Amino acid sequence: MNKLYAFFALVLLTACGSPYDGSWKGVDEFVQDYRIEISGDEAKVIDLNEPLANMTCTITRGDDIAKLICEGDDRTTITDLILNGEIMIVKPEGIRESTFVKD
């Protein structure tokens, strides 16, 4: 019986999507020209000033933090995504954190 409840809970959570899903815009000065589009386990990082520099990344979710994993130019970048309601803190490795809000 517990397996049945777990199955229905998983179906419900999958159907409802993730709180990370959606369009996010940068609000800090450093990222105000960036957008992040998240859907399921994929994300697109969009540079509004250089449309050809857009990157497609994958998302892995943990209990409190999601990881944005982007590969390109012979390197992999891993970024922590910390959600607080309609605010997402983006913390790339070795770079200062930035704030994004739901668009």
Side-chain angles (χ1 to χ4, degrees):
M1 195 65 152
N2 286 339
K3 290 181 184 178
L4 183 62
Y5 288 124
F7 172 75
F8 283 115
L10 182 60
V11 169
L12 179 64
L13 289 174
T14 303
C16 294
S18 165
Y20 289 94
D21 286 353
S23 179
W24 298 85
K25 64 180 180 178
V27 294
D28 297 336
E29 181 180 344
F30 180 66
V31 294
Q32 66 188 5
D33 294 327
Y34 285 87
R35 301 286 183 268
I36 301 175
E37 302 285 336
I38 300 174
S39 179
D41 62 350
E42 289 189 358
K44 182 178 262 190
V45 179
I46 301 166
D47 182 343
L48 299 175
N49 293 323
E50 293 187 47
L52 298 177
N54 295 345
M55 295 181 1
T56 300
C57 309
T58 58
I59 299 272
T60 60
R61 292 174 175 85
D63 292 333
D64 298 325
I65 295 177
K67 300 269 186 195
L68 179 68
I69 303 167
C70 302
E71 297 182 27
D73 298 332
D74 298 325
R75 67 184 184 138
T76 300
T77 304
I78 300 174
T79 303
D80 290 337
L81 304 177
I82 304 165
L83 196 60
N84 183 7
E86 298 291 307
I87 297 172
M88 182 170 63
I89 304 300
V90 176
K91 296 173 82 172
E93 291 178 333
I95 303 174
R96 67 180 174 181
E97 68 183 41
S98 301
T99 304
F100 283 71
V101 296
K102 278 269 181 144
D103 197 10

